[in-house]
Amino acid sequence: MESFVDFTNRSQGRDQLFRATQYTCMLLSYLLEHKADKEKLVMKLKQLESSMSSGRKMFRLGNTVHALVAARRTTQLPDVVPRFCLTTSNLTRALYFVCDAVLWLRSVGLQPDINKQKWRNWATKCYYFSLLMNLGRDWYEISWRLEQAVRKKNTKENSSWDKEDQELNCLKCDSLPSFLPLLFQILKRHPPLLLDTVKNLCDLSSPLDALGIYKTNAGVIGFCGLISSLVGILTLASPHLKLKQ
Amino acid sequence: METWVRFSAQSQAKERVFRAAQYACALAGDALRRNGAGSGVLDRLRQLEAHLSLGRKLLRLGSSAEALEAAKRAIHLSDMVLRFCITLGHLNRAMYFACDNVLWAGKAGLVPSVDQEKWSHRSFRYYLFALVVNLSRDAYEIRILMEREVGGKRAKGVENGRLLQADNGLQQLGLRLQVQLRLLAHVLRNNPPLLLDVVKNTCDLFIPLDKLGLYKTSPGFVGLCGLTSSILSILTILHPWLKLKP
């Protein structure tokens, strides 16, 4: 119980638990929607989902400052690509939180004449852009590790094989079949990178659907959201699994 | 900005800010109603207050476990009175949070058959018990400190000669009371955490007293008390030395 208390004492921990619950409800209500005698349960799941969602919107008030502080921190990174990607990602996240706060004001009734659709559209675009920047950074991390691994493999084979076989093997190195196993090897050796990539890819499903770029259904969004929340909980519970910035 | 990030990383801190906002809405609503504001503004304030309250209830969903953990830790205290008061206070808080979770389940529509009135009364009763126990603990701490002060003064050989000079019984009583009050003020001034805790618990006391109908005040007064205690609570989070230990 002590570890549960320690975990939920952090604001992020509680938020990830609520997020996981919200997406589980979304997934379950999609799966049970057309079943015969489950209408009451589906309605309760939808109500739980909406109360989690509106509660989380309230807790997110003030996260703009978090994102700006994180952006300031990432401007100090040594490599150019992560510095650019993460700073842009944090700045667009700050914008997303601003739009989110405006939407909260409207949902609470303080400013009823706000154009909900427009602000929601802006919020989704900002979130989508920040996810793309995060994925860009993930891809940079993967690609330089891939390059390093290929170079290591080449030097190992150069030292042990004859010259004729060398060219053959160099061709083999660049073909696709050996690229995928190498990729899996790299991801297996760096769990934080794997978890971060999986989380960002899963988070992508919701804005892709909302912006109409790649329409899926509530079940897919719910499932992806649940996976990303579980990854978030995992990285909070074991901080060594979090990708260092 | 860094302070805000560190502050809001604790979920209790954000909850206190929302509590302050909720009671500020109650206070503002009452003040505006007295000054004849339109029903539109009052409705909006009431809606905001309800949203904040429901949001806080959601945020408190795991707090029973926290209170039970704190009670478990308090059992190992050395002082018997403190051990009793603090453990009992935490246990009552745990019950209060449990009732609060039931209220949330009812308001969120998960268990529509919850009797809001009954469970609300129950939760406020536990809250009242917890506050009374906390105030008893404060009184015990004050008494110990006052005794220590008096003992210290006697050791230094300082006597209050005026008491011997008073011939009227009532005058003697008045002087004794004056001495005690001065001693109390001295003790509280030298112990900011204790003073803060006493003021916070006293302010909080008016909320369940009003809600349970034991001592009815006005919604504005309840709002002011709630706002004061929330601000003091935020102060103890920002400056942990101001928190009464244990």
Side-chain angles (χ1 to χ4, degrees):
Chain A
M1 202 162 71
E2 213 179 280
S3 50
F4 171 75
V5 168
D6 280 330
F7 180 76
T8 55
N9 217 7
R10 281 171 287 168
S11 170
Q12 266 188 315
R14 268 196 159 122
D15 183 60
Q16 290 291 348
L17 280 174
F18 292 148
R19 189 171 192 254
T21 316
Q22 181 185 334
Y23 283 112
T24 313
C25 290
M26 197 189 267
L27 176 64
L28 285 175
S29 57
Y30 174 78
L31 291 173
L32 298 172
E33 193 138 34
H34 302 295
K35 294 257 164 86
D37 50 343
K38 304 278 187 194
E39 287 121 12
K40 253 192 183 172
L41 179 60
V42 170
M43 191 180 73
K44 283 199 182 158
L45 283 171
K46 287 211 162 102
Q47 263 173 327
L48 179 59
E49 187 200 323
S50 101
S51 52
M52 289 277 154
S53 163
S54 55
R56 279 182 62 226
K57 245 198 230 320
M58 195 175 90
F59 311 150
R60 287 202 288 253
L61 293 174
N63 277 6
T64 313
V65 180
H66 283 250
L68 288 174
V69 167
R72 193 165 62 182
R73 206 174 355 115
T74 53
T75 51
Q76 316 285 339
L77 287 173
D79 291 328
V80 172
V81 177
R83 193 186 332 156
F84 172 74
C85 286
L86 287 176
T87 311
T88 325
S89 156
N90 281 324
L91 287 174
T92 34
R93 236 165 35 106
L95 284 173
Y96 161 68
F97 286 130
V98 168
C99 299
D100 203 49
V102 170
L103 284 170
W104 179 81
L105 283 175
R106 188 200 188 277
S107 74
V108 151
L110 280 178
Q111 289 283 355
D113 39 309
I114 286 175
N115 186 348
K116 189 171 173 182
Q117 208 38 50
K118 184 177 89 168
W119 283 95
R120 186 174 279 181
N121 207 7
W122 270 110
T124 318
K125 281 192 186 138
C126 291
Y127 185 52
Y128 178 56
F129 192 66
S130 101
L131 283 176
L132 288 179
M133 288 288 111
N134 282 342
L135 280 170
R137 182 268 183 119
D138 287 336
W139 177 243
Y140 170 76
E141 297 273 345
I142 291 174
S143 70
W144 74 253
R145 285 193 170 91
L146 258 178
E147 233 178 83
Q148 203 180 50
V150 165
R151 224 178 296 139
K152 225 184 267 179
K153 209 173 172 190
N154 279 353
T155 47
K156 231 194 275 177
E157 281 159 355
N158 272 346
S159 58
S160 58
W161 289 69
D162 289 333
K163 256 228 161 152
E164 298 103 301
D165 303 291
Q166 222 179 59
E167 284 151 37
L168 217 77
N169 283 318
C170 278
L171 281 171
K172 248 197 196 170
C173 295
D174 299 319
S175 66
L176 198 60
S178 69
F179 163 77
L180 280 174
L182 211 55
L183 176 67
F184 289 145
Q185 219 178 21
I186 288 171
L187 289 175
K188 204 166 62 174
R189 236 182 285 160
H190 298 96
L193 185 55
L194 170 66
L195 285 174
D196 197 60
T197 314
V198 166
K199 185 171 192 292
N200 289 325
L201 284 173
C202 286
D203 279 337
L204 215 52
S205 67
S206 165
L208 282 178
D209 180 88
L211 293 172
I213 301 173
Y214 184 64
K215 282 215 155 279
T216 46
N217 53 52
V220 171
I221 297 174
F223 180 69
C224 290
L226 176 61
I227 301 286
S228 111
S229 308
L230 289 175
V231 169
I233 290 171
L234 197 62
T235 52
L236 276 174
S238 329
H240 69 274
L241 285 174
K242 190 163 172 61
L243 190 60
K244 299 287 176 290
Q245 292 185 353
Chain B
M1 256 189 356
E2 293 279 355
T3 346
W4 165 257
V5 170
R6 245 178 295 133
F7 173 78
S8 67
Q10 300 171 57
S11 65
Q12 204 208 18
K14 252 187 181 166
E15 199 258 330
R16 293 282 117 176
V17 171
F18 290 136
R19 185 177 193 253
Q22 181 186 334
Y23 283 111
C25 284
L27 179 61
D30 191 59
L32 287 171
R33 190 176 49 84
R34 276 177 215 265
N35 292 339
S39 68
V41 176
L42 292 176
D43 276 338
R44 275 193 202 173
L45 275 175
R46 217 171 298 142
Q47 209 181 4
L48 177 61
E49 199 191 324
H51 271 263
L52 288 169
S53 165
L54 192 60
R56 275 179 64 222
K57 279 201 199 326
L58 175 66
L59 196 50
R60 290 200 290 243
L61 275 182
S63 297
S64 281
E66 268 174 63
L68 285 175
E69 272 293 311
K72 237 174 29 180
R73 276 200 304 269
I75 291 180
H76 301 294
L77 286 171
S78 48
D79 189 312
M80 204 182 70
V81 176
L82 280 183
R83 195 192 316 162
F84 175 74
C85 284
I86 298 178
T87 311
L88 195 61
H90 283 306
L91 286 175
N92 275 308
R93 265 180 67 231
M95 289 305 300
Y96 162 67
F97 287 130
C99 296
D100 200 54
N101 294 345
V102 172
L103 278 172
W104 175 82
K107 283 215 169 100
L110 289 176
V111 189
S113 55
V114 164
D115 186 352
Q116 292 278 329
E117 199 65 41
K118 185 172 86 170
W119 282 95
S120 175
H121 266 250
R122 233 175 241 179
S123 79
F124 277 120
R125 245 180 283 151
Y126 283 118
Y127 187 43
L128 183 64
F129 291 156
L131 285 172
V132 165
V133 165
N134 283 343
L135 279 170
S136 328
R137 179 264 179 110
D138 288 335
Y140 173 73
E141 297 253 11
I142 289 175
R143 198 190 158 79
I144 286 193
L145 286 169
M146 277 170 76
E147 274 173 8
R148 213 178 284 170
E149 276 291 325
V150 169
K153 278 211 174 106
R154 272 209 202 109
K156 283 194 202 151
V158 174
E159 291 280 348
N160 196 347
R162 282 195 287 158
L163 262 175
L164 301 165
Q165 285 168 25
D167 32 37
N168 191 351
L170 208 65
Q171 225 174 18
Q172 208 175 53
L173 191 67
L175 277 169
R176 234 190 259 273
L177 199 66
Q178 212 176 43
V179 165
Q180 290 285 1
L181 282 174
R182 224 174 279 170
L183 192 59
L184 175 69
H186 179 78
V187 158
L188 286 176
R189 213 188 354 230
N190 282 354
N191 287 286
L194 185 56
L195 174 63
L196 226 67
D197 201 57
V198 168
V199 175
K200 191 160 72 85
N201 288 328
T202 316
C203 284
D204 276 336
L205 200 62
F206 287 105
I207 302 170
L209 284 178
D210 180 88
K211 292 276 166 41
L212 291 171
L214 294 169
Y215 182 64
K216 277 227 156 274
T217 45
S218 73
F221 184 67
V222 168
L224 180 64
C225 287
L227 180 62
T228 316
S229 83
S230 306
I231 291 176
L232 291 176
S233 190
I234 291 170
L235 266 176
T236 55
I237 296 176
L238 283 174
H239 302 283
W241 64 272
L242 279 174
K243 192 162 170 59
L244 189 62
K245 310 249 187 314

